Amino acid sequence: MKTLTLLALVGLGAQLVDGSLGMAYGVTSTTLLLAIGTNPAAASATVHLAEIGTTLASGLSHWKFGNVDWKVVAKIGLPGAIGAFLGATVLANLSTEVAAPVMSLILLALGLYLLVRFTLRGVDRRHLGKPMRKRFLGPLGLVAGFVDATGGGGWGPVGTPAILASGRMEPRKVIGSIDTSEFLVALAASLGFLLALGSQGIDAAWVVALLIGGLIAAPLAAWLVRHVPPRMLGSLVGGMIVLTNSRTLLRSDWIDASDPVRYTVYAVIYAVWAAAVVHSFREYRKDRAQESADALAAEA
């Protein structure tokens, strides 16, 4: 019962982050499942099955708040579904000994990307309003979908920053469109896992627990996307993912680091993580002050 309650809370927290930031539900949830010893393919399958419900609820909530560009959803979602199906098939055919550290490496890379991306960079608004090109969204969706299924998460960490960096869409519409298109990705990945694995290793109660937490959080997250500073949230989540997956890798047979080495690495990660959050907060304050100054100048 404690495990199910914890999973529900993780699903709630992960969906609040995902719906507000456009990423990290899968990465956060899969990281926890790996940390408690779940088979990598089963962990990704569990998360993607739960995501069928959470992404549907999230998409409807974002649509209600006007955060969705349906053309972008179609252009990136369909290639994403193909990539996710292929990724699920690949992961399901890897041995657990190989898959666990490989998945942790993918998650670690995504965590580092989140940490660096949202700590050091803001949102480029110079091209805001220009149409998104299919030749950009198609390959992006294919790669993001493949990474999402093999890593247990990655649709948002790959897709959201790439579209944000283009500066062609408002951040809230980027997040809403990515969250909505993820329904297709979750559906395709789940189908791939079920065809390859059957129900082997998938705990239906865990799926339901993650789903319940996510469903509760989805409407609130769609509203919060207008109010939560993405830079701080990205730094917080990125640091947590880096720390957790570094721990998994250092304890794996690949590295099997001694206690002094592991504790030294943890201390460095904590220090960098704290510095990143402080920097993100300061940059957020500067951005807010600049926006207020620009607004006053425009009124004058």
Side-chain angles (χ1 to χ4, degrees), residues 282-293:
R282 288 176 176 172
E283 291 301 309
Y284 165 67
R285 293 287 298 271
K286 287 181 183 178
D287 291 342
R288 286 293 302 271
Q290 185 61 50
E291 288 174 6
S292 297

Side-chain angles (χ1 to χ4, degrees), residues 87-252:
T89 304
V90 169
L91 181 61
N93 286 286
L94 289 177
S95 68
T96 301
E97 290 76 14
V98 174
V102 166
M103 182 180 281
S104 288
L105 276 174
I106 293 173
L107 292 168
L108 176 62
L110 292 172
L112 283 169
Y113 184 78
L114 281 175
L115 185 63
V116 173
R117 171 66 178 81
F118 284 93
T119 300
L120 301 181
R121 295 183 59 188
V123 178
D124 186 355
R125 297 176 178 271
R126 290 175 296 176
H127 305 290
L128 193 63
K130 293 182 179 180
M132 298 297 301
R133 296 169 181 167
K134 188 175 182 179
R135 65 173 180 266
F136 167 70
L137 293 175
L140 176 64
L142 191 66
V143 171
F146 186 85
V147 171
D148 187 83
T150 54
W155 179 250
V158 174
T160 299
I163 299 178
L164 279 174
S166 73
R168 292 171 180 258
M169 291 178 66
E170 295 178 63
R172 67 182 182 87
K173 287 204 170 185
V174 174
I175 293 168
S177 300
I178 285 290
D179 275 6
T180 303
S181 58
E182 194 172 8
F183 170 75
L184 300 174
V185 174
L187 197 63
S190 297
L191 179 61
F193 282 121
L194 289 173
L195 288 176
L197 297 173
S199 59
Q200 179 183 352
I202 300 174
D203 191 321
W206 288 19
V207 174
V208 172
L210 285 170
L211 176 59
I212 290 172
L215 289 176
I216 293 171
L220 179 58
W223 176 80
L224 281 175
V225 73
R226 298 170 179 264
H227 305 285
V228 175
R231 294 188 76 149
M232 282 197 63
L233 199 54
S235 296
L236 287 166
V237 174
M240 183 272 293
I241 293 167
V242 168
L243 178 65
T244 307
N245 288 286
S246 295
R247 179 177 177 274
T248 301
L249 284 170
L250 290 170
R251 290 172 174 268
S252 71

